[in-house]
Amino acid sequence: MPAAVRRRIEERAEAVGFPALKRAAAEISAAYREGRPVHAGSPAHTAAYLVTRMPATYAAAYAALREVRERVGAVKSVLDIGAGTGGASLAARAWFPDAALTLIERDPKRVEAAREWLPEAAVAIEDLNRIGVLPPHDLVLAAYSLGEMGRFPAARLWLAARVALVAIEPGTPRGFALIRGLRQELLGAGARMIAPCPAETPCPMAEPDWCHFAARVERSSLHRRIKEAELGYEDEKFSYIAVGREPVALPAWRIIRHPQHRPGLIAIETCTAAGLRSERVSRRDGERFRAARKAAWGDGGIS
Ligand SMILES: C[S@@+](CC[C@H](N)C(=O)[O-])C[C@H]1O[C@@H](n2cnc3c(N)ncnc32)[C@H](O)[C@@H]1O
């Protein structure tokens, strides 16, 4: 996240005080684990969300939007649904610096925070379910918000997306189930795949497994203190889908979990147009082994 935003978050957190911040962060973590809506509640809850969750939603959105930038190119406008404190919009601004941003968010406290780092954005403090037709934008973005919406608005979101639609949810079985349902609905409505899938065929992932990815998030020292964590980073797990109006070149495969490294052997699991594939690459494979050593979860490739 931009350094100026991180600094402002620290200042807001200091104003709340550590004990209240820690209590609010514990409540937010519990809600997140149980798949309940994370309410902003008090200033302490908003500050705790900013310290412990927004860097993670930013990182997931940044990773998903990279795919849109690379495969589709620049967009001129972005509509962020359930924009919260603006984490996903900040990621959109990083990839599409010239795009006009519109945020829809029902919680005024979160909007107030988002306005601080996105002063140029148009903001509607509104419940999505009360808006009839969404204003068309090139890119419609729903990050960690669809799971909180009672009536699922997939068709309405797609109608508003002139170029592309991106939805991100927690990388849990529940989050993935939502993304998979959305994928099916959107492809059925004629949407074309952008990422992460290498094909538009039915999703080959079978329960109890679920498709998700990880984005590395640097933890601030305050974040570490709140979580009583040793590590200076955490990996945010997320499931996502990006679809567009026009076909784009898709990768032939995508790595769907951390490659497993053993002495002289690397096991890689990928999703391909022909289904899921498990591959073992040994040192004897020479060039392929050298390439496999660099391969990472989430990478896509052409051959
Ligand atoms: C977990 S937060 C995610 C915020 C943000 N998108 C991010 O990536 O950091 C989900 C947000 O969706 C908002 N939300 C949920 N249902 C909504 C609705 N029906 N209309 C507008 N906003 C909604 C909540 O108020 C909350 O701020």
Side-chain angles (χ1 to χ4, degrees):
M1 272 198 317
V5 178
R6 288 204 304 266
R7 271 197 303 279
R8 276 302 297 137
I9 290 175
E10 298 267 324
E11 284 162 17
R12 278 171 168 261
E14 267 171 33
V16 163
F18 189 72
L21 199 62
K22 193 163 176 189
R23 268 196 309 277
E27 283 168 34
I28 289 172
S29 287
Y32 184 76
R33 271 197 311 277
E34 291 156 22
R36 285 188 279 116
V38 175
H39 290 298
S42 62
H45 284 86
T46 306
Y49 183 87
L50 294 176
V51 175
T52 63
R53 286 302 303 151
M54 192 166 103
T57 63
Y58 175 91
Y62 188 86
L65 291 173
R66 175 201 295 267
E67 298 281 340
V68 179
R69 186 71 183 84
E70 285 178 0
R71 289 171 205 284
V72 178
V75 296
K76 293 197 176 69
S77 59
V78 178
L79 178 64
D80 186 356
I81 298 291
T85 53
S89 278
L90 278 169
R93 197 176 64 181
W95 287 115
F96 310 108
D98 299 326
L101 294 172
T102 306
L103 280 59
I104 299 181
E105 167 58 47
R106 66 181 173 190
D107 182 331
K109 290 200 194 70
R110 293 193 175 197
V111 168
E112 183 264 317
R115 277 203 171 112
E116 197 175 328
W117 24 88
L118 295 163
E120 75 286 12
V123 182
I125 307 176
E126 205 45 276
D127 189 314
L128 190 74
N129 296 320
R130 296 219 189 108
I131 301 176
V133 177
L134 293 170
H137 284 66
D138 284 357
L139 173 65
V140 174
L141 177 57
Y144 295 82
S145 57
L146 295 183
E148 291 193 11
M149 291 179 186
R151 273 187 292 137
F152 193 63
R156 295 175 60 212
L157 300 189
W158 179 234
L159 206 61
R162 283 194 292 242
V163 176
L165 167 62
V166 174
I168 305 167
E169 285 293 313
T172 58
R174 180 176 181 270
F176 172 61
L178 194 152
I179 293 292
R180 195 213 294 258
L182 185 60
R183 177 187 191 276
Q184 200 171 328
E185 191 175 340
L186 291 168
L187 293 181
R192 307 304 305 261
M193 180 57 61
I194 296 174
C197 314
E200 295 172 345
T201 43
C203 174
M205 189 64 72
E207 280 182 30
D209 217 346
W210 68 99
C211 179
H212 61 296
F213 300 93
R216 176 94 5 138
V217 186
E218 300 300 324
R219 285 180 175 141
S220 65
S221 59
L222 179 59
H223 190 172
R224 276 208 301 276
R225 272 177 68 212
I226 289 175
K227 292 236 173 119
E228 294 175 20
E230 296 284 316
L231 282 178
Y233 65 87
E234 63 188 22
D235 285 331
E236 170 67 7
K237 309 280 172 42
F238 64 101
S239 294
Y240 78 102
I241 185 170
V243 293
R245 296 271 165 202
E246 301 294 332
V248 296
L250 296 176
W253 47 262
R254 190 175 296 274
I255 299 176
I256 54 167
R257 62 191 87 255
H258 275 310
Q260 300 295 309
H261 291 245
R262 296 197 191 83
L265 194 73
I266 301 170
I268 299 184
E269 292 198 37
T270 55
C271 187
T272 76
L276 302 182
R277 190 174 69 189
S278 298
E279 218 185 324
R280 283 180 160 54
V281 187
S282 93
R283 204 185 295 284
R284 286 193 300 276
D285 293 317
E287 190 49 49
R288 276 183 66 231
F289 184 74
R290 280 188 287 281
R293 280 169 69 172
K294 293 189 211 131
W297 187 7
D299 284 357
I302 49 171
S303 58

